[in-house]
Structures are given as structure tokens and as C-alpha cells.
Amino acid sequence: QQQVKQSPQSLIVQKGGISIINCAYENTAFDYFPWYQQFPGKGPALLIAIRPDVSEKKEGRFTISFNKSAKQFSLHIMDSQPGDSATYFCAANNAGNMLTFGGGTRLMVKP
Amino acid sequence: DAGITQSPRHKVTETGTPVTLRCHQTENHRYMYWYRQDPGHGLRLIHYSYGVKDTDKGEVSDGYSVSRSKTEDFLLTLESATSSQTSVYFCATGQGRATYEQYFGPGTRLTVT
């Protein structure tokens, strides 16, 4: 069972455009919602994370929007660049120190 | 991921053979994790460790065992490899204070023929 559902599976965006990736979760006990970025041949790396009592968090061109009532959160990448081309994973953390990951989104930013 | 290494990086093995993957960290992190990554499934937790000799099962632990005899080393063993265990395996570590922040190794690509 997949407790965190991510969409779309792949995304193509023009340089300078906005990339939007969505996730939905089921377990209300999750206490943090991180996003990880993975380049080909590398392990994932933490990009940005949000707590469920915050509706939005911004770090540079990356913003997480969080809707607690709908149990949904999304990653927005503003002014997308070719260097942002990677696979993005949303995740949810529980108090048992475990992360549950979404299925991943492969982003391609065309120059 | 400079402080986390995995060995081997690539391995091809036959069905029914035992396989051990090694994760080594120099970060002195308390938590260590083993994940497998498959298309469409993201990363799924196999086993994790919260200290030396302290381990627990994750979401997809069947067919896998782990051991941690030192802080820096976490071993994943496939007792009798099957084709369904063909995957990319990632080790990760965490300090424990913010468990959503995990640091991943470079991965091991395992093919079971």
C-alpha cells in the first residue's frame, strides 16, 4: 500500500517556467513532509521540508505548499532551469523515525 | 554523500545465491537505513537501525536481513537472491534529531539473473 501518492510521474517544462509536483497522504500521524532531489547515478538529497502546522515554506526558487485539511502538499519550482532536471520525491515522516516516499516525478527542463 | 559509501556499486548474481551489501559511514550518525528503489515505487524501506545491534523491519523486509555490529557499518543480506530483488539499493543515515533529514549513499545496482 502506498501511503504517499505523487503525481505526475513525469513532467516537461520550458526554461523559465513553473514546475509543479503534487503529493497526497493518508496517515494523519505524519509530522514532517520533506522533498528529496535525485540526479542520475546519485542518491537522493534533501531539498526542502515543511511541518504540518505551516501552510507554505519557501527556499529560493523552491516552495512547498501544504493543505492539511485536504492532506495534500506540493512542490513549486519557480523559474525552472535545465539544472533542475532530476527526479523529485515527496515523503512523509512519522514519529517512528521512518520516511514513506512517493513514487517520484522525473522532471525535464528544456532550454 | 561523501561520508557514506556503499560496496559493491554493481553486482550481478544468480538466483538462489546469498548476497551481502555493505554500507559504511564516517558521519557517526545513530540511524542507518536500507532502501530499494524501483520505477514507480519510489524508495521503499527494507530495514533500519537505531543503534549498534538495534534493528527493525521496514515496509519490504521479506527476504532480507541486516546486521550492525559497529556504528559505522550496516550490512544488508539477501539470504537467497530472487529475480524480484533486482533493484537499486540505497543506504541512508540520520542523526535522529530530525529524522526526515536523511543522507543517502551512491547506491548499489543489483541484478539477479
Side-chain angles (χ1 to χ4, degrees):
Chain A
Q1 87 219 35
Q2 194 168 24
Q3 296 188 49
V4 179
K5 295 185 178 180
Q6 183 171 347
S7 62
Q9 289 189 342
S10 62
L11 181 62
I12 300 174
V13 174
Q14 290 295 129
K15 178 182 176 181
I18 302 173
S19 303
I20 302 174
I21 304 170
N22 300 299
C23 285
Y25 64 97
E26 298 168 3
N27 187 347
T28 56
F30 291 135
D31 64 357
Y32 257 96
F33 298 86
W35 285 87
Y36 279 76
Q37 180 187 54
Q38 183 183 29
F39 293 105
K42 303 291 187 181
L46 179 65
L47 185 63
I48 186 173
I50 195 168
R51 295 189 334 239
D53 58 344
V54 175
S55 61
E56 186 175 281
K57 183 173 182 179
K58 184 176 181 179
E59 289 186 3
R61 296 183 294 107
F62 299 89
T63 300
I64 301 178
S65 297
F66 191 86
N67 186 330
K68 188 173 181 178
S69 61
K71 293 190 285 186
Q72 295 176 347
F73 58 110
S74 60
L75 176 69
H76 291 65
I77 306 174
M78 311 301 288
D79 187 26
S80 298
Q81 299 297 312
D84 296 330
S85 297
T87 299
Y88 292 82
F89 295 97
C90 63
N93 184 71
N94 67 24
N97 306 315
M98 290 194 291
L99 284 174
T100 300
F101 285 88
T105 297
R106 181 173 291 185
L107 172 66
M108 179 185 296
V109 181
K110 289 193 168 183
Chain B
D1 53 322
I4 304 169
T5 56
Q6 294 184 230
S7 59
R9 294 293 313 280
H10 302 271
K11 186 170 182 66
V12 179
T13 192
E14 293 184 348
T15 299
T17 59
V19 177
T20 296
L21 308 183
R22 179 178 183 246
C23 178
H24 179 78
Q25 60 139 333
T26 59
E27 307 296 323
N28 199 33
H29 286 169
R30 177 185 174 191
Y31 288 82
M32 297 187 75
Y33 307 83
W34 276 108
Y35 293 90
R36 60 178 290 174
Q37 183 175 15
D38 304 287
H41 292 278
L43 294 118
R44 292 180 291 175
L45 183 66
I46 304 171
H47 281 280
Y48 70 102
S49 169
Y50 46 95
V52 174
K53 298 192 190 307
D54 293 323
T55 64
D56 207 346
K57 296 179 179 180
E59 178 188 354
V60 291
S61 59
D62 287 349
Y64 302 94
S65 62
V66 291
S67 65
R68 191 172 179 197
S69 59
K70 298 186 290 184
T71 298
E72 56 267 34
D73 290 327
F74 193 31
L75 304 181
L76 176 71
T77 297
L78 290 65
E79 302 291 345
S80 177
T82 68
S83 58
S84 65
Q85 294 176 311
T86 292
S87 187
V88 180
Y89 291 86
F90 285 99
C91 171
T93 69
Q95 293 177 324
R97 288 188 298 256
T99 56
Y100 66 88
E101 186 169 8
Q102 296 182 11
Y103 303 85
F104 284 79
T108 294
R109 182 173 295 274
L110 176 67
T111 302
V112 183
T113 62

